[in-house]
Amino acid sequence: MKNVFFKPWVGSEYGTDKSLFQNKILVLGDSHYCEEYCFQCGSQEKRECCSEFTTDVVNDYLNPDITARWKRTFTTFMNSFVVGTKHDEQSRIGLWNSVAFYNYLQIAAGTDARQTQHYNYEDPTYKSALIEVITELQPDFIISWGNKVWDAVPEDLGFGKYRVSQQFENCCCVYPYKDAEIQLIGVTHPSTAYKSSYWSNVFCELRANL
């Protein structure tokens, strides 16, 4: 994956019989934030030391000894995605080991979410990187967080233009992909005004969380 700087987290049970889900699910986040003020982010020189950033973030989320406000974003999403499950430490581990997670922007977007407005989501490198990840992971569903990422996902993943879902025209597209399909669901970013009950219904209706 030559255009991917931050490699995706791939749960140990993603796409296996041990997964919580029948579907292969790629959760598509927005961006990483970094306080190191590194001007080489995204460069070949930094690839080796920074490529595991996404995996490190998910591992930090799953570590109960680490407390941080940003962890609420992951928990909010999980609480609407997994219905009828006790959301303790073990259920969090089970969920995130069953999915893949990847952030769209392939450079750190400043130190907080307010700075993402300065980044070009239409950069063709990011689009190429996403297609590389999709080619590698072969997901059945992609769940994108936030409008910026939803708008940036290419109209064609290499096998024809998407069509709008008849069930949820405002938030779901269906892409032809090889001999199958990939459904893209665009949700409100879980760090903002995310309505858990609404999105829980969407996931169930589309059978994304089977």
Side-chain angles (χ1 to χ4, degrees):
M1 294 187 287
K2 66 179 182 179
N3 291 297
V4 175
F5 184 70
F6 299 125
K7 294 191 298 186
W9 155 275
V10 182
S12 59
E13 296 171 359
Y14 174 84
T16 73
D17 292 339
K18 295 182 178 180
S19 173
L20 292 178
F21 311 111
Q22 297 175 21
N23 297 307
K24 289 187 290 185
I25 299 158
L26 171 62
V27 182
L28 180 59
D30 187 293
S31 53
H32 284 303
Y33 311 116
C34 182
E35 297 180 356
E36 294 187 12
Y37 300 98
C38 175
F39 295 102
Q40 291 181 295
C41 189
S43 68
Q44 187 64 38
E45 291 78 5
K46 284 289 183 178
R47 186 181 297 272
E48 183 175 348
C49 65
C50 297
S51 64
E52 299 296 328
F53 197 150
T54 305
T55 295
D56 292 342
V57 167
V58 179
N59 281 326
D60 285 350
Y61 171 74
L62 296 175
N63 186 344
D65 295 327
I66 296 176
T67 58
R69 290 184 62 185
W70 63 264
K71 297 178 78 168
R72 297 177 187 173
T73 298
F74 286 74
T75 300
T76 297
F77 172 74
M78 179 191 65
N79 286 346
S80 64
F81 192 73
V82 181
V83 180
T85 300
K86 182 180 179 182
H87 302 311
D88 55 13
E89 179 183 347
Q90 288 304 311
S91 69
R92 286 194 290 272
I93 292 173
L95 169 67
W96 291 99
N97 274 332
S98 297
V99 303
F101 179 78
Y102 173 74
N103 269 330
Y104 181 78
L105 288 186
Q106 289 299 286
I107 57 174
T111 57
D112 60 62
R114 291 171 295 181
Q115 298 179 38
T116 59
Q117 61 181 311
H118 302 300
Y119 293 82
N120 178 19
Y121 284 71
E122 293 300 319
D123 188 319
T125 300
Y126 304 149
K127 294 180 183 290
S128 296
L130 175 60
I131 290 177
E132 289 172 4
V133 169
I134 292 171
T135 301
E136 179 81 13
L137 299 180
Q138 303 283 306
D140 301 303
F141 282 86
I142 301 172
I143 302 174
S144 67
W145 289 0
N147 290 334
K148 294 175 184 176
V149 175
W150 167 261
D151 291 340
V153 176
E155 294 184 351
D156 188 332
L157 299 179
F159 297 89
K161 187 177 178 181
Y162 72 84
R163 70 176 190 274
V164 176
S165 167
Q166 293 183 350
Q167 286 177 277
F168 293 96
E169 296 180 357
N170 62 325
C171 65
C172 182
C173 297
V174 182
Y175 286 82
Y177 196 78
K178 296 185 177 179
D179 296 326
E181 294 178 332
I182 296 176
Q183 293 193 58
L184 170 68
I185 305 172
V187 305
T188 307
H189 198 289
S191 66
T192 57
Y194 185 89
K195 296 182 180 180
S196 295
S197 59
Y198 174 80
W199 290 113
S200 177
N201 177 65
V202 171
F203 297 143
C204 290
E205 287 289 322
L206 292 173
R207 302 172 67 84
N209 52 358
L210 288 181

